[in-house]
Amino acid sequence: MHSDEARRRGITHPVRLTAAALVSRGPDDWFVPAPAFPVDRTSLSERAAQLAYEQAGIGPADVDIVECQDTDAASELLAYRELGLCAPGEEAALLRSGDTALGGRRPVNVSGGLLSKGEPLGASGLGQVHELVTQLRGHAGARQVEGARVGLGHVMGAGHNSCVVVVQR
């Protein structure tokens, strides 16, 4: 929506979609990445994240809040590495540090994540973008990430595609 139309509608905290990167599985991609194996293959989510960061003109350190794929216990941990939030092998340490919790350096899934919503197929990404926009507008109530200006959303489709979006205020 154009900024003039946003003003006409009374939107006082507009949020822009600055990147949307969708990649499909290639011959060298992991179907289900395993942290125990050497990282000599590519990752759908890593490729999508790199494209999104390039499109938005930012890097992982610029992200204030993340809503990522967490449809099982390992998915969120794998996403930490694949989205560039930590180095390979540092996923559990990042979680234990508190940096990914509400009030941490870069909160992840403060909405409760996809698991809390029953992983609504097809609506997962839309729900993430809604949460990110709500956060960036400062309307998230008790789960508000203070000062959030850049949000990143990440979903996967049955291991065969991955999408990463960046929204900014």
Side-chain angles (χ1 to χ4, degrees):
M1 166 183 325
H2 192 274
S3 59
D4 292 341
E5 179 63 15
R7 273 192 297 281
R8 188 185 75 70
R9 292 184 185 196
I11 298 171
T12 57
H13 295 86
V15 174
R16 296 173 292 123
L17 175 69
T18 56
L22 173 66
V23 299
S24 297
R25 186 170 172 225
D28 290 329
D29 288 320
W30 287 103
F31 176 66
V32 178
F37 290 100
V39 184
D40 60 350
R41 300 184 91 180
T42 60
S43 153
L44 290 169
S45 295
E46 187 175 346
R47 288 193 296 121
Q50 288 304 318
L51 286 170
Y53 290 137
E54 288 173 22
Q55 287 175 16
I58 65 168
D62 299 310
V63 174
D64 298 313
I65 181 172
V66 176
E67 285 286 317
C68 72
Q69 184 84 18
D70 70 339
T71 50
D72 57 57
S75 293
E76 184 174 321
L77 291 174
L78 292 170
Y80 292 171
R81 176 188 70 222
E82 294 176 335
L83 299 175
L85 306 181
C86 69
E90 298 297 320
E91 300 89 343
L94 178 61
L95 179 65
R96 284 192 296 267
S97 75
D99 283 350
T100 62
L102 184 61
R105 186 173 48 90
R106 187 178 301 117
V108 176
N109 291 341
V110 297
S111 69
L114 299 179
L115 281 175
S116 75
K117 300 169 185 77
E119 189 191 0
L121 297 178
S124 297
L126 181 59
Q128 288 179 339
V129 170
H130 178 270
E131 174 66 20
L132 294 170
V133 169
T134 300
Q135 287 282 346
L136 299 188
R137 287 183 173 165
H139 299 154
R143 67 181 188 284
Q144 181 64 50
V145 174
E146 294 304 321
R149 297 191 61 79
V150 179
L152 181 139
H154 160 253
V155 292
M156 293 193 66
H160 298 291
N161 59 60
S162 181
C163 182
V164 174
V165 298
V166 176
V167 291
Q168 297 185 56
R169 203 175 102 180

